[in-house]
Each structure stands twice: as structure tokens, then as C-alpha cells.
Amino acid sequence: MLCRLCIYLAAAQAHMDIRKIVYNLDDDEEVHGIYHQFPLAFAWQWIGGLIVLLFPFFILFLVLPWGIIGTIILVILFLIGFFWLFRTWRVWYYSILVTTDRRLVIVEQKGILDRAVSQMNLDKINDISYRKRGIIDTTFNVGTLFIQISNSQQKTELKNIQNPARRQQELFGLQGDYVEESVEEFKEEDLFGIIKEIRSRIGERRWQRIQEGNWHDKKKFIEEVGEEDDDKARAIEQFFGGSNDNQEEKK
């Protein structure tokens, strides 16, 4: 029964249209992956719902002689089982990790009508780690992903993710591609136009202090600008990266 259930859930996953769930994806944004939690992580919910759903059929001949009261009891038990299974399916189906070529989207379905959506740009991710614990995680290759964003000490936990090592590699790969494309998109004239604007806004004295400081000071400044405009922050990062390369060549 559970094997057939897993096959059905996998088929349902393959036909998911993510743009009907996450509405703010750009038209040219490419979705790379949609990952659900491991279905058997909800095993007790599936089993409990099936038991309640099928239980009326086992007591059918005992309750029907009670007349209308027995019929009402059977219908109520059947509806409870159906609702239990439907809620479990909905929580599993809509609790997903979505990766695109620009961002990471986390959808948490906490109930029938309770959904939370969070997202982070790939260049804001500071660390990705995972943990597999216990016999079940090891046997089924399931674990928890931990994602840390820049300027945050807290880590987002994504539990019951299948093949967490592969998900970690995929996210690092997408992040590298995104940062590389972001840097390459600025032409030289655009880059220096943005730098000129930033320098005039913060003043020449502060700009010189930042430029002469260590990379930690520059990174803090990039994050400060990024709170207002991500494109300008990437342009400054590209400028400082080029400056560092030139300094190393001179050495």
C-alpha cells in the first residue's frame, strides 16, 4: 500500500506547476528543481488516515442495525479519515524547496489554509550544510539541509530532504553560476558609471577609506549598498574584485 502511495506521490510531484504556487517568479526565470519532503516522513499520518478511512467498512455489519445513528457514525468516521489523508497530502505536496537560476524559494504548508513562503537570492546564501542522523536517515538517504544567509546567525532548516548531499552540490553550483553571470552582465562603462555615482554619494574621503581597507570592510559596504539596490552591490563587488586582481598582478 505504501509503495503504491509513493509512486502516486512521485507522479503528482512531476506534474506540479510551480508558477501557480510562487507567483513572483520572473518570466525568464528558469526553474531548476522542485523538491518535496521524503513521503515516508509522514508515514504515521498516512497510516492513521487510512485506518480511520477504512475502519467503517470493518464495523459495517455491527453499526448498520442501529439505523440512522449507525449510518451517521459510519459517514462521520469516513469523512474524518478522508480529511486526515487530504490534509497530510496537502501538507506534503505544498511543502517544497524550489531552486531557480536566481533564487531559492521555501514553501511551508502548515495546514489546509496555512502556507508560508520565504525566498532568498542565491548570492545572499553564505553557507549550506546538511546532517543525516539515525538509521532511517542513513537507510533512505534523507537528511536536514541548513542554509545560512549573509548577516544572519540563524540557519534555515529544511527537514526530510532526499539525497541532501546532492541538493547541497546543486545549490552551490547554482550559486556559482548566478554570481558569475551577475558579474559578467556589467559592461565597463556601466560599471564605472555606478561606481562614480556611489563615490559622489558617500563622499571621496569615505570611499578612499573603504578602498584602502581590508576585504571585510569592503564586504560590509557591499552589503550596505545591497540593502538598497542589489545591482549596484554586485557592480561594487565586481569593481573591488577587479581591483584585487590588479593588485595581485602588481605584486
Side-chain angles (χ1 to χ4, degrees), residues 10 39 59 108 120 164-165 192:
I59 62 171
E108 295 181 85
M120 56 195 79
F192 285 102

Side-chain angles (χ1 to χ4, degrees), residues 65 100 109-110 123 148 171 177 196 201 206 212 250:
T100 76
Q109 188 74 32
K110 301 180 179 181
D123 60 338
Q148 185 176 23
L171 288 174
D177 293 341
K196 184 178 180 181
R201 192 174 70 183
R206 187 188 176 196
E212 294 171 0
K250 290 178 181 179

Side-chain angles (χ1 to χ4, degrees), residues 32-62:
H32 282 267
I34 303 173
Y35 307 106
H36 294 255
Q37 297 184 63
F38 184 49
L40 291 184
F42 298 86
W44 291 115
Q45 289 92 323
W46 297 119
I47 293 173
L50 284 171
I51 290 175
V52 177
L53 182 70
L54 298 177
F55 184 69
F57 296 99
F58 291 98
I59 62 171
L60 188 65
F61 295 103
L62 295 176

Side-chain angles (χ1 to χ4, degrees), residues 191 195 207 210-212 214-215 217-219 221-222 233-247:
L191 175 63
I195 297 301
W207 175 259
I210 294 170
Q211 195 171 16
E212 294 171 0
N214 57 34
W215 179 247
D217 296 330
K218 296 173 183 177
K219 188 174 181 180
F221 177 62
I222 291 170
R234 290 199 299 271
I236 295 172
E237 187 172 8
Q238 177 181 346
F239 175 80
F240 284 142
S243 300
N244 291 340
D245 292 341
N246 293 334
Q247 290 175 6

Side-chain angles (χ1 to χ4, degrees), residues 124 126 148-154 219-220 222-224 227:
K124 299 296 183 182
N126 190 47
Q148 185 176 23
I149 309 175
S150 302
N151 290 333
S152 176
Q153 297 299 323
Q154 296 182 339
K219 188 174 181 180
K220 285 184 63 177
I222 291 170
E223 292 171 350
E224 177 185 326
E227 293 177 358

